Amino acid sequence: MFSKFISIGDKIELQAVSREDEEKPESPAKVYHSEVTEIQSEDTVEITMPMEKSKLILLPIDSEYDMIFYGSSGLFQCLGRIIDRYKSNNSYLLLVEMTSNLRKYQRREFYRLRCALEMHARTLREDEVQTVESRMPYTLSNDFPLKESVIVDISGGGLRFVAAQRFEQGSLLYCSYHLMNGGEHKKYEVICKVISCIELDNRPGTFEHRVQYYDIDPVEREEIIKYIFEEERKSRQKKRFSPES
C-alpha cells in the first residue's frame, strides 16, 4: 500500500512528536527536510539524514516523527520511528519504521495572485540537478541563455507562467523575476519543479506551465506571501474607492 503512493526521490517533512510524559513545548517542534532513497518494505523506508546550513542533523534513534510525504499524487501523512542511522555510498541515511497508516494530507492551499510579471528561466543541467537534489550549497552558472516568459499568477507555493519554450513535466528550472520588497525591486532566483505543461488552444506555440518551488528559502517564501497580500490589499482599496463602487 505504501509503495503505491510514495516513490524514491519524494520529499519529506519531519516534525518531532511529543510523548505523553513530556511537557508540551511552548512553540511548535522544528520541521526537518529529507527525501526517500529506498522503500525497503511496506512499513520501512530509508531516507536522507536532514541537513541545516550544510550541517547534518543527527535525529536520535527511537525518536518518533510526524511525516508528510510529497508524493506525485498529493501529500500523504503518517507517523514514523527512526530505527537506525548509517552511512552508505557517501550518503548519511536514516531507516524509519512506519508506526501508523498512511493517509491523505490536506494542507491549506496558498493564495494565488493574478499578475503579469516578466520572468527568465532555463532548465537545469544534469550536474546542477544532482547538486540541487543533494541539498549541498550551490551557485548556478550565468553563462547559459535564459528564456523569456510571463508569470500569470504567483503564490507562496509556486507559479503559473506562459512561454514560447516548452519545459518538460518533472524537470527542474532556474527562474528569475523581480518583486517589490520594502519599497524596492528585489530579484528572486528560485529553483522550481514543473508540475504540468500544456499548449494553449487559442495561442499555438505558447505553453502554460505550473511549477512548484523546490526547497525555497523560508525567508523568501514569506517575502513572496507578504508581497501577494500587499498587492491584494492595494487592489481592494482601488475597487473600494473607484467611481463605479
Side-chain angles (χ1 to χ4, degrees), residues 186 188 216-224:
K186 177 179 176 179
Y188 288 85
I216 188 173
D217 185 324
V219 174
E220 289 197 337
R221 190 196 298 276
E222 290 303 316
E223 289 177 354
I224 292 170

Side-chain angles (χ1 to χ4, degrees), residues 146-163:
L146 299 175
K147 303 296 183 179
E148 294 183 356
S149 58
V150 176
I151 300 173
V152 293
D153 72 40
I154 183 172
S155 78
L159 308 166
R160 182 165 61 96
F161 69 91
V162 294

